[in-house]
Amino acid sequence: MTPPPDAAPPRRTALAERLRHAAVRPRQIMRSPWAGRVLAAVTLVAVTATGITIGTLLGARGASDVGPFRVAFQLTPSTHGGTEIAIPPLGSLFLDSHDGPARLTVRLDSLDQRRTEALLDDPAGLAHAGATAPEDLRDALVRLGLRTLGVSVLTSMLLAGLAFRSVRRVAWSGGLALLVTGGTLGTAALTVRPQALAEPRYEGLLVNAPALIGDAQRIADDYNRYAEQLQRLVGNVGELYTTVSTLPIYQAAPDTTRILHVSDLHLNPAAWPMIKTVVEQYDIDLVIDTGDITDWGSEPETSYVSMVGQLRVPYVYIRGNHDSPRTATAVASQPNAVVLDDSVTTIAGVTIAGIGDPRFTPDKQDAEAGPWEEPAMTVEGTGTQLAATIRSLDLPVDIALVHDPASATALNGATPLVLAGHTHQRKVTTLPPTGTLTTRLAVQGSTGGAGLRGLEGDEPMPLVMSVLYLGADHRLQAYDDIQVGGTGTAQVSLNRKVVDAASPVIPAAPSATPADN
């Protein structure tokens, strides 16, 4: 039977009614007092955030006189915090000075001509300017923080006034901006680490690095030492800007011994100019090479090691698994070189023991000893033999040298510092304590960028080396890790680490011996 024609319209009318009610509900929700308050709060936060951002861009920058310099300051949002000190054209220092959420950029814009002339006329002027630098910097940062806070709050209140035209919401916006901006600056202030100035990371030209960062010393965690280090930094840069003829180098304490640790040059000719520059700029006392100066240990390669004699400082060397007895003989023929093989030498008051790698694997096959002899012992056995030699002496050994870090385990407790290479990866660890003497193991990366094999990846391996600073007791106080890009350019990255003898011992993880080094 056909349904009556008037039966369909009631069903369509009911469906349309339900759709109409469904469309009305969102409008009712949006018109409710609760939804209005949420929307107002979100809008208030958005307006305040915009005001803080604009206020920070406008107010979180300024300039002030610090010592003899006109210095520009700027605060920017950052999750990691920290400080960058830009010193054009010399480079930049990066300090882990505080935690986020604000990063401080300090830029030395200029040296005031009138004040510079006064400093040159007064021999004590530069020292006095450096002495006032910490107070100048503190006052400048306080003014920067207050200006950032004030401008951010006023900008937020102005935007809130334009958006809401309500005194109460303007007050809320100002209070919220005060809370956020003040909390940000407070977090940075409460997490300030003055000792960070002792451990800068430097980026710039290699020849400028020692003049900017000065020499390494133990820096206590107190304001007086912080101020002293800051004065030296200002003094160094001031001398650099006011001296035309030569590049000044910060003078180290008389009892500081500077050692350059290199390893795994692998015939890279770009390594020698870099080594020579560091030796001269840092006033290095001696160079230590932990092996693999060549690739095949052949007769033609002996001409490469002749560059050792041009360094004009003592050069202590042990053989690596790519070096043959012929290589060791070529190094020993250099007038400034000392080759150690289960033997001991004393240079610049530092007693050094070393032993060569027992293998000769120029073709990178560890299973084969090479054409000249079978290995007399294992890699681990060389460490045991050197440890026995050290313990048989009547004098303490300050540094032990091995090529492969796998040899270092037996030397734990026999000497305070073990230097190695082979892995092409820079790493410093503390061996598990076995007695009263704590032993640190410093494994060097490849100063030659791993030679030709360093070109096998997408980018060339960097050239790395380290400057070790030893105190009057010949114990490691600090070290600078220097890295030059694999292209061999003069642009470098330098990281300083101050050794804290009271720091917790970090056990060294077992290291596997790579087959291709």
Side-chain angles (χ1 to χ4, degrees), residues 453-514:
R453 65 183 56 81
L455 302 175
E456 295 173 354
D458 294 335
E459 295 182 1
M461 287 184 63
L463 281 61
V464 296
M465 58 182 65
S466 301
V467 178
L468 313 179
Y469 299 90
L470 274 59
D473 58 355
H474 299 151
R475 297 295 181 89
L476 183 65
Q477 290 187 336
Y479 54 88
D480 292 340
D481 287 334
I482 301 173
Q483 175 174 302
V484 175
T487 57
T489 62
Q491 192 75 13
V492 302
S493 172
L494 184 150
N495 288 278
R496 169 164 294 171
K497 178 63 178 178
V498 177
V499 174
D500 184 3
S503 63
V505 174
I506 303 175
S511 60
T513 302

Side-chain angles (χ1 to χ4, degrees), residues 81-84 94-99 104 188 191-194 196-197:
T83 299
E84 176 186 356
F94 298 87
L95 309 176
D96 187 19
S97 57
H98 63 276
D99 296 332
L104 174 64
T191 58
V192 165
R193 291 178 288 272
L197 197 61

Side-chain angles (χ1 to χ4, degrees), residues 160-175:
L162 295 175
F164 302 113
R165 303 185 184 278
S166 167
V167 175
R168 183 169 62 87
R169 292 185 180 181
V170 169
W172 270 105
S173 180

Side-chain angles (χ1 to χ4, degrees), residues 86-310:
I87 311 174
L90 307 178
S92 295
L93 299 177
F94 298 87
L95 309 176
D96 187 19
S97 57
H98 63 276
D99 296 332
R103 179 181 180 84
L104 174 64
T105 300
V106 181
R107 182 182 177 89
L108 275 63
D109 279 342
S110 62
L111 194 66
D112 183 84
Q113 182 177 357
R114 178 182 56 81
R115 297 172 66 191
T116 301
E117 293 174 353
L119 293 177
L120 293 174
D121 294 337
D122 182 5
L126 188 58
H128 176 71
T132 62
E135 184 176 351
D136 294 341
L137 180 60
R138 181 194 62 195
D139 294 343
L141 292 178
V142 169
R143 290 195 299 271
L144 179 67
L146 292 177
R147 182 166 56 251
T148 302
L149 187 64
V151 174
S152 297
V153 171
L154 290 176
T155 305
S156 299
M157 294 176 68
L158 177 62
L159 290 181
L162 295 175
F164 302 113
R165 303 185 184 278
S166 167
V167 175
R168 183 169 62 87
R169 292 185 180 181
V170 169
W172 270 105
S173 180
L176 183 59
L178 179 65
L179 179 64
V180 173
T181 309
T184 299
L185 298 175
T187 299
L190 291 175
T191 58
V192 165
R193 291 178 288 272
Q195 71 274 18
L197 197 61
E199 298 182 348
R201 178 172 62 88
Y202 168 78
E203 291 184 1
L205 295 178
L206 178 58
V207 295
N208 295 331
L212 290 188
I213 66 173
D215 220 323
Q217 300 181 30
R218 290 186 181 276
I219 303 298
D221 187 11
D222 60 73
Y223 178 78
N224 291 333
R225 292 297 184 92
Y226 157 71
E228 179 183 351
Q229 188 76 354
L230 181 59
Q231 292 171 24
R232 290 174 177 171
L233 174 62
V234 171
N236 289 338
V237 179
E239 290 184 23
L240 190 60
Y241 270 87
T242 56
T243 301
V244 178
S245 59
T246 60
L247 179 68
I249 299 175
Y250 176 78
Q251 297 300 317
D255 56 4
T256 300
T257 302
R258 291 167 294 268
I259 298 175
L260 178 61
H261 180 200
V262 302
S263 191
D264 297 81
L265 274 68
H266 287 292
L267 291 178
N268 190 339
W272 289 120
M274 179 180 168
I275 293 174
K276 192 171 186 295
T277 298
V278 174
V279 166
E280 294 174 352
Q281 295 296 325
Y282 280 80
D283 195 18
I284 295 296
D285 294 298
L286 70 138
V287 178
I288 290 179
D289 185 341
T290 47
D292 277 0
I293 194 172
T294 61
D295 256 340
W296 297 91
S298 62
E299 178 66 32
E301 291 174 298
T302 57
S303 61
Y304 176 78
V305 306
S306 63
M307 294 296 298
V308 169
Q310 298 185 21

Side-chain angles (χ1 to χ4, degrees), residues 4-26:
D6 58 347
R11 286 197 295 270
R12 288 196 297 269
T13 301
L15 178 60
E17 186 68 18
R18 284 196 294 270
L19 292 175
R20 186 178 65 81
H21 284 296
V24 168
R25 285 195 194 100

Side-chain angles (χ1 to χ4, degrees), residues 376-417:
M377 63 183 69
T378 63
V379 172
E380 293 77 7
T382 59
T384 302
Q385 180 172 326
L386 184 60
T389 299
I390 291 173
R391 291 188 170 97
S392 68
L393 300 175
D394 295 330
L395 73 164
V397 170
D398 302 307
I399 303 175
L401 311 181
V402 293
H403 178 64
D404 194 323
S407 304
T409 303
L411 294 163
N412 190 14
T415 180
L417 180 62

